[in-house]
Amino acid sequence: MNRNPQPLVSVRVVTYNHERWIAQCLEGILMQRTAFPFEAVVGEDCSTDGTRAIVEDYARRFPDRVRALLHDTNLGAQMNSCRVRQACRGKYLAMIEGDDYWIDPLKLQRQADFLDAHPEVSLCFHNALILNERLAATRLFFEAPLKEILDFDDIHAQSLPTASLMVRAEIPASQPEWMLNIRGGDRLFRLWCLHHGKAGYLDRIMSVYRRQAEGLDSAGRHTGHQAYYDGILFTLREFDKATGFAHTDSIRREIKRLRRDQLHLRLGPVYHLLRPGHGIVRLKEYAKWIRQKRHLFN
């Protein structure tokens, strides 16, 4: 009897120094109830804490579901992710990082069913909770419902929770080699999938995104670090070229917005003095919010 049949879905797990959370991540995968075989491929990138021992334990106890890729040297987030993806065997690829977790046991089944029913969709995602452990608070990732089927212009500039993603495996496999030279691959991954098809949204809360202050995006965005923005702009320009400028108007608008955000972060309050129109818009938005929430202050 074959204990490891060909999976329909592979779960790409990347982890580094996630000792406190990796067990919860893997338990959320193992609780999945599906009508098809699936696998979790875990790339453990030479953590300096106890993450590797936990991953090895799960791979030993659940050899039919968990495969561990234990690197001899630290590869970095992008190369680790690439190695795990290359080891995945499924038609569909689900994504999660070692500090996030799933809370719906039918998540994989629902998303695989959706992709089966919508061949025009290359990427399926769903709503999630954002957990801020420092503040002991949660909120929804998407506060308002989205359309079920979205095209490139609808969603390309929107951040998506990684643990909510399921894609057709052949699409990330076709990503260009220069993806390994960028600071963060999430944006390129989203853009590349949207270039090859539409996005499908399930309005269900099925995962938890653990927000950490030391994360790459968080640190870069809140400090206005030049390298953070340079990396994003490089990604957008290279994507524009690699796709034959098929989405160039949208990409140029996004570049313009990012430059404005960068200036805003650099100048702080002075930004509104140099761009008074922008400040007036923000004040109007604040006044509108106060009117909508005034019952909270009575």
Side-chain angles (χ1 to χ4, degrees), residues 279-297:
I280 291 171
V281 170
R282 295 295 295 273
L283 286 173
K284 288 181 177 178
E285 290 174 351
Y286 180 69
K288 180 180 178 181
W289 183 87
I290 289 293
R291 289 196 298 272
Q292 292 173 342
K293 305 296 182 181
R294 60 180 178 272
H295 63 281
L296 300 175
F297 301 93

Side-chain angles (χ1 to χ4, degrees), residues 67-285:
R67 285 196 290 134
L69 296 185
L70 307 175
H71 307 312
D72 295 329
T73 59
N74 179 265
L75 302 178
Q78 285 300 100
M79 182 60 75
N80 184 23
S81 178
C82 182
R83 291 282 179 85
V84 176
R85 176 187 55 74
Q86 291 171 345
C88 289
R89 301 179 295 145
K91 175 182 178 182
Y92 300 137
L93 184 66
M95 321 284 286
I96 192 167
E97 296 176 355
D99 55 345
D100 297 334
Y101 59 100
W102 295 342
I103 56 177
D104 188 329
L106 296 178
K107 169 198 156 65
L108 291 182
Q109 185 71 58
R110 295 183 199 279
Q111 290 191 282
D113 288 347
F114 190 91
L115 288 173
D116 283 344
H118 296 86
E120 78 280 13
V121 168
S122 61
L123 177 153
C124 179
F125 68 104
H126 55 74
N127 211 344
L129 291 174
I130 299 176
L131 172 62
N132 188 320
E133 291 187 324
R134 184 175 60 86
L135 300 177
T138 60
R139 65 177 178 86
L140 284 176
F141 201 99
F142 302 108
E143 299 287 352
L146 304 176
K147 294 187 299 183
E148 184 179 68
I149 304 293
L150 304 109
D151 59 23
F152 188 94
D153 287 338
D154 290 326
I155 202 69
H156 80 278
Q158 171 70 59
S159 176
L160 304 179
T162 300
S164 79
L165 301 178
M166 183 182 287
V167 304
R168 300 184 189 276
E170 70 272 12
I171 296 174
S174 69
Q175 283 182 286
E177 291 185 3
W178 55 263
M179 61 172 277
L180 298 176
N181 299 322
I182 63 177
R183 180 179 175 86
D186 290 349
R187 185 179 298 263
L188 174 61
F189 181 88
R190 177 175 71 250
L191 292 172
W192 198 253
C193 289
L194 291 173
H195 174 63
H196 287 82
K198 296 183 181 295
Y201 174 66
L202 302 181
D203 194 25
R204 305 182 68 93
I205 303 168
M206 296 195 282
S207 64
V208 176
Y209 165 57
R210 202 183 306 268
R211 171 158 288 172
Q212 300 184 53
E214 63 269 23
L216 284 176
D217 275 4
S218 180
R221 184 164 49 248
H222 294 300
T223 61
H225 197 279
Q226 184 67 39
Y228 170 81
Y229 285 95
D230 286 347
I232 295 176
L233 294 174
F234 172 82
T235 298
L236 291 173
R237 293 187 183 109
E238 291 299 313
F239 169 81
D240 205 17
K241 289 189 290 185
T243 54
F245 305 98
H247 314 283
T248 195
D249 290 342
S250 298
I251 296 301
R252 287 176 179 176
R253 284 194 298 270
E254 180 66 359
I255 288 173
K256 183 177 180 181
R257 183 189 68 80
L258 287 165
R259 285 174 170 165
R260 186 172 62 246
D261 288 351
Q262 183 181 22
L263 182 63
H264 188 180
L265 285 169
R266 280 180 174 177
L267 298 180
V270 177
Y271 176 83
H272 297 295
L273 297 177
L274 297 177
R275 296 174 60 91
H278 183 271
I280 291 171
V281 170
R282 295 295 295 273
L283 286 173
K284 288 181 177 178
E285 290 174 351

